[in-house]
Amino acid sequence: MLLTLNFIFRRKWKNASLVFVYTLIVFLLASVIFFAHAIKREASIILEGAPEIVLQKVVAGRHDLMPVSYISKISSIAGIDSVRGRLWGYYFDRNFGANYTLMAPEEYEHGDGNIVIGAGVSRVSVASEDNLFPLVTYDGNVIPMNVQKLLSSESELVSADLILMSEADFRRVSGVPQGYVTDLAVRVSNSTEIPTIARKITKLLPDTRPITRNEILRTYDAVFNWRAGIALLILSGAVVSFMIFAWDKATGLSAEEKKEIGVLKATGWETSDVILLKFWEGTVLSLSAFLAGVVLAYIHVFWGLSVFLAPVLKGWSVLYPEFRLVPFIDAYQIAALFFLTVIPYISATIIPAWRAANTDPDAVMRG
Amino acid sequence: MSEARFRAVVVFFIVNGLLFIMMFIHAAYQRNAARPRLAVKMEMVRTLGLTDLSLFTEARYTRHPSMTDLNTPFQDYPMSLEHFPSGALVLPPPHLVDRGLD
């Protein structure tokens, strides 16, 4: 081991820059893996509370307003606990260029003229409790609403852009007429019956489209799947740079390194000894980079609010939630990272050393 | 190879190894501590009937990816180009891809 360290320190600046680049690649890969896994897990936990079935009305292939009369048509289906209309929609704030989600909860305790806003809305519009918040109605009138309460910043991941208001206010702003809702939330007590109930609903109401909770959950699996754009974009960059880096190592040793191996062979070292030396050299360098990269990625994602990944997620959004992810990390992710970064590197260092060690020492030293 | 250098490398590995182990301990502690926060969010989703995370607020079909249909990304006509960055990053929900055009 002492000898291995000796070899590493003989080319300390070259090896230091190598460890720096290697650490950066591990850091990028680990950040994406940690972030994607943590947000998928958090989404799957939080969205467990989502309606078992959301029913949309489809007219001419597009989502349309749902008549309230449809509630009574499906309420009698066996297995359905409750059906309620959801009133929600979007609102574009021209002053700040931000999109909000308007919603009228079934039970709203703050009364007409009062709104409850998410932390993201408050941040963008600089509105706080007891401030006036003007909203432009569908017919062009401006109505001043009073900010009654702010939603907790801890719930930003689901509520950053929410504006909650009474049903009357929602209809006044959005223009959704009485007798219509945006869609229906169907509650089912036995989750195994959900697909059957969804089929029964579409048979009864062919102009509707059910979206089950399982499908909602799978959506977020797909969004943060490794094949999805976000992960793929960053992963592919890191993997390609790692491949170039490993390829450079695998395609040959420097003249100095070859000479070193020649001297070792000439002084009586076996090929296996040279390979062992190179194995330990690769192990020390790659483990240093791996440990440092993984720890830095953990700090970045779970303490540093993913500052390097956030711009990718934000896109052109003016309003973006500020959230701290729960560190859902496990041995599987670490093992995947290890096999993706450490093993290829060690293999890439051993192969050229084995080739050099197998040739005649005199020929190796002469280059 | 001086003793000091050898010691420095050993210390580097010990510190990194300890940080690595502490990372798992910290993660386990944070997961336990986050339970009430997760419960608050889950309750909000349950009472308001929410279906999506408010991650991408730039366009309506990226704000609620699970509620979209395959026509929406094209907005009003099929040749209308996708121009929101997150619209290019977010895959269509699996239930749309599995079912085909909805």
Side-chain angles (χ1 to χ4, degrees), chain B residues 19-77:
Chain B
L19 282 173
F20 191 73
I21 294 165
M22 274 167 62
M23 186 179 85
F24 282 95
I25 298 167
H26 179 261
Y29 172 77
Q30 286 292 310
R31 279 199 297 273
N32 269 333
R35 273 185 195 159
R37 270 191 292 140
L38 288 174
V40 166
K41 283 185 244 186
M42 199 173 160
E43 184 56 22
M44 182 178 271
V45 167
R46 206 185 59 76
T47 50
L48 294 177
L50 303 176
T51 54
D52 286 86
L53 305 181
S54 63
L55 272 176
F56 315 103
T57 62
E58 57 190 342
R60 64 175 190 268
Y61 53 88
T62 57
R63 169 62 179 92
H64 292 93
S66 70
M67 296 289 109
T68 54
D69 52 61
L70 283 181
N71 312 312
T72 319
F74 294 107
Q75 298 286 290
D76 293 320
Y77 55 101

Side-chain angles (χ1 to χ4, degrees), chain A residues 32-319:
Chain A
V32 174
I33 290 175
F34 286 165
F35 183 88
H37 185 75
I39 204 151
K40 270 199 292 189
R41 282 280 290 137
E42 192 151 341
S44 72
I45 294 170
I46 297 170
L47 296 176
E48 269 299 317
E52 280 77 16
I53 300 171
V54 172
L55 196 64
Q56 293 180 338
K57 187 172 193 295
V58 180
V59 173
R62 294 187 77 107
H63 181 198
D64 203 49
L65 292 177
M66 174 74 78
V68 176
S69 59
Y70 276 29
I71 296 177
S72 56
K73 287 184 182 173
I74 58 166
S75 293
S76 53
I77 293 175
I80 290 181
D81 267 2
S82 68
V83 183
R84 66 176 182 87
R86 293 199 312 158
L87 275 170
W88 64 276
Y90 302 102
Y91 179 89
F92 179 64
D93 190 331
R94 289 185 190 281
N95 295 327
F96 304 104
N99 286 312
Y100 307 141
T101 299
L102 304 184
M103 187 168 238
E106 199 176 27
E107 286 161 22
Y108 187 69
E109 60 197 19
H110 302 287
D112 293 346
N114 293 316
I115 56 172
V116 174
I117 61 173
V121 179
S122 161
R123 206 165 37 242
V124 166
S125 63
V126 210
S128 52
E129 278 180 32
D130 294 327
N131 282 178
L132 281 181
F133 195 102
L135 287 174
V136 182
T137 62
Y138 73 100
D139 51 2
N141 294 316
V142 180
I143 50 167
M145 306 290 275
N146 178 49
V147 179
Q148 189 78 22
K149 195 181 150 192
L150 300 184
L151 291 167
S152 74
S153 56
E154 286 192 343
S155 65
E156 270 202 56
L157 194 55
V158 287
S159 70
D161 68 336
L162 280 187
I163 298 182
L164 305 179
M165 56 183 67
S166 68
E167 184 185 332
D169 284 337
F170 179 84
R171 292 191 190 279
R172 198 146 59 113
V173 173
S174 64
V176 173
Q178 286 289 345
Y180 287 90
V181 288
T182 312
D183 51 28
L184 301 181
V186 181
R187 288 284 175 188
V188 177
S189 51
N190 185 353
S191 58
T192 55
E193 288 180 353
I194 295 172
T196 317
I197 290 170
R199 267 197 304 275
K200 282 183 183 170
I201 291 172
T202 38
K203 206 171 168 189
L204 200 65
L205 302 169
D207 59 345
T208 59
R209 184 174 84 113
I211 300 159
T212 66
R213 187 173 58 193
N214 192 30
E215 289 170 343
I216 293 171
L217 296 174
R218 278 174 60 208
T219 300
Y220 284 90
D221 254 358
V223 169
F224 293 103
N225 190 294
W226 69 270
R227 287 182 305 144
I230 300 160
L232 195 67
L233 195 79
I234 303 164
L235 273 179
S236 56
V239 168
V240 167
S241 45
F242 183 75
M243 275 162 60
I244 295 168
F245 172 62
W247 179 252
D248 182 54
K249 284 294 274 182
T251 47
L253 301 169
S254 67
E256 196 192 347
E257 282 171 305
K258 279 183 185 167
K259 203 172 157 189
E260 232 169 46
I261 291 173
V263 172
L264 290 175
K265 287 279 285 183
T267 52
W269 281 50
E270 294 290 330
T271 304
S272 59
D273 297 330
V274 175
I275 290 173
L276 197 65
L277 176 83
K278 283 288 161 192
F279 169 78
W280 281 117
E281 194 181 309
T283 305
V284 168
L285 293 177
S286 52
L287 270 184
S288 310
F290 179 77
L291 289 174
V294 169
V295 170
L296 286 173
Y298 182 86
I299 293 168
H300 166 231
V301 174
F302 301 116
W303 275 356
L305 301 170
S306 311
V307 286
F308 295 119
L309 298 179
V312 181
L313 289 170
K314 277 181 190 171
W316 291 351
S317 309
V318 171
L319 194 156

